[in-house]
Amino acid sequence: MPVLSQPQAEQDRLPTVDGAEIDLVDADSARYLGSSEEADYWVGLEGGEICLVQLLSEAEIEVAGASCTTAERLAEGGLAVSTGTAGTSATGLLVPEGFDLADAEHEEDWVAVGDHLAVPADEAGRGASSG
């Protein structure tokens, strides 16, 4: 995934949640992908797998989650992560370069909000700035 080979910028660093670092991926590998109406997203590496990290940004309490897979599985159908609280939830889909959202293994009406990030159409409101 080309974004992982780029130098890490300040916005690529994972934020803290309740004063603690998010340790779901190797912090030096994290790259910011963009945001939806409900969450912010990063891609990173952990134990030889590619991971999509999600931080609910509109929740009363901050909640982070991640989903990881192999490069082969990512190429076949993308990688989804979903996180939620009692008041809000969000889903994101990490997609490889040139991926057709119609081929996603998850039944949603996906909208691209970044070069490698898609979200369900009803979560796309805020738009994204991809890194």
Side-chain angles (χ1 to χ4, degrees):
M1 180 159 275
V3 68
L4 291 170
S5 64
Q6 300 297 318
Q8 189 178 48
E10 187 61 35
Q11 78 172 7
D12 295 327
R13 298 192 188 285
L14 294 169
T16 59
V17 175
D18 296 328
E21 290 185 14
I22 297 173
D23 63 355
L24 301 170
V25 297
D26 173 26
D28 292 335
S29 73
R31 300 295 184 272
Y32 182 73
L33 293 177
S35 60
S36 70
E37 190 171 310
E38 302 292 341
D40 294 301
Y41 296 90
W42 293 260
V43 63
L45 301 173
E46 183 61 33
E49 292 189 322
I50 298 171
C51 303
L52 179 60
V53 177
Q54 176 187 67
L55 176 64
L56 290 182
S57 53
E58 298 297 323
E60 288 183 23
I61 57 171
E62 293 179 310
V63 177
S67 184
C68 301
T69 193
T70 63
E72 293 79 22
R73 287 279 303 152
L74 176 66
E76 291 172 9
L79 173 64
V81 64
S82 295
T83 306
T85 66
T88 190
S89 65
T91 301
L93 180 69
L94 178 65
V95 295
E97 196 166 331
F99 187 80
D100 184 345
L101 289 175
D103 293 336
E105 293 181 355
H106 309 277
E107 294 183 18
E108 296 282 349
D109 184 15
W110 297 104
V111 174
V113 294
D115 292 339
H116 299 285
L117 179 65
V119 298
D122 62 344
E123 294 180 28
R126 181 160 43 126
S129 61
S130 60

